[in-house]
Amino acid sequence: AQKVTQAQTEISVVEKEDVTLDCVYETRDTTYYLFWYKQPPSGELVFLIRRNSFDEQNEISGRYSWNFQKSTSSFNFTITASQVVDSAVYFCALSEGGGSEKLVFGKGMKLTVNP
Amino acid sequence: NAGVTQTPKFQVLKTGQSMTLQCAQDMNHEYMSWYRQDPGMGLRLIHYSVGAGITDQGEVPNGYNVSRSTTEDFPLRLLSAAPSQTSVYFCASSYSVASVPYEQYFGPGTRLTVT
C-alpha cells in the first residue's frame, strides 16, 4: 500500500533562514509520481512540483529546491532564504500512475516564517 | 477558464440532513476526485472518477455518493449527515498523457459543519 510520511508537523523559522521539509514515501510500484503542494492561509491548494520515479535529478526553481533520493525513498523540499509569504501548510503526495491519478497525501507540515 | 469551481463555500447541516456539494471543471479533464481535509490528517480521497459514467471509491467513501454524468460535473452527495463529516471538502481535476498523471487542479473548497 502507498504511504507518505511527513514527520515534521510544524516548523517555525525566522525570515531568511533556510528550511527543509522532509517527505518519506512507501510504494511497491517501480513507476510512481511524487508531488508537493502548498496551502497558504487562504486555503487554496497550489501545485509546486511533480517528479517521476525515473528522474532522480534534483530540481531548483528560484528559492525552492527538491532532492529526490530513491535509495532512501525521500523527496525533500528546501526553501532557501525563507520569506513571510512562504508561511503555509505543505503537503507531499504520491501517485502510482499507470492510469491511476489517485493521490495519497502526507499529513502536511505547517511552516511559519516570522519577520 | 474558471478552472475548478465548488459550491457552496460554506454549509451548516443538522445531523441526518442530506445535501449535495457541487463541483465543475471547464478544462475537459477526464479525472475528477473528492477529498476531505481534517486537522492533522492531510487530504484523504473520498471518491474519484476516471471519466463520465465511471466512479470508484477512495480511502474514506462511507456516507458519500458520487455520480459523473458529464465530463464537467462531479457532485458529492452526503446521504445522512453526521458530525464526523464536519470537514473541508476539496474537488480536484486532472489529466494524464500516456498513463502519466499530471498535477491535480483543486477547487477552493467547501467548509461543512454538521451539528
Side-chain angles (χ1 to χ4, degrees), chain B residues 4 6 27 30-31 33 42 49 53 55-56 59 61 63 65 71 74 79 84-85 87 93 101 104-105 107-108:
Chain B
V4 180
Q6 290 183 236
M27 297 172 282
E30 71 265 28
Y31 185 82
S33 53
S49 168
T55 64
D56 205 347
E59 181 186 352
N65 271 358
T71 299
F74 191 44
L79 309 172
S84 60
Q85 293 178 304
S87 187
S93 74
Q104 297 205 6
Y105 293 74

Side-chain angles (χ1 to χ4, degrees), chain B residues 7-112:
Chain B
T7 56
K9 289 189 177 180
F10 301 95
Q11 183 71 50
V12 179
L13 290 178
K14 290 187 178 355
T15 298
Q17 287 185 318
S18 62
M19 79 158 295
T20 299
L21 307 185
Q22 301 291 345
C23 174
Q25 54 95 5
D26 61 359
M27 297 172 282
N28 201 33
H29 288 169
E30 71 265 28
Y31 185 82
M32 295 186 75
S33 53
W34 278 101
Y35 295 87
R36 60 177 289 172
Q37 182 179 16
D38 302 295
M41 298 294 293
L43 281 84
R44 292 180 292 169
L45 183 64
I46 304 171
H47 285 285
Y48 66 99
S49 168
V50 298
I54 306 170
T55 64
D56 205 347
Q57 297 181 351
E59 181 186 352
V60 287
N62 292 342
Y64 307 95
N65 271 358
V66 292
S67 60
R68 183 108 179 260
S69 55
T70 67
T71 299
E72 295 78 19
D73 300 300
F74 191 44
L76 178 71
R77 297 183 187 83
L78 279 70
L79 309 172
S80 177
S84 60
Q85 293 178 304
T86 293
S87 187
V88 180
Y89 292 84
F90 287 96
C91 178
S93 74
S94 67
Y95 64 100
S96 64
V97 177
S99 296
V100 174
Y102 283 72
E103 70 270 21
Q104 297 205 6
Y105 293 74
F106 285 85
T110 294
R111 186 174 293 274
L112 175 69

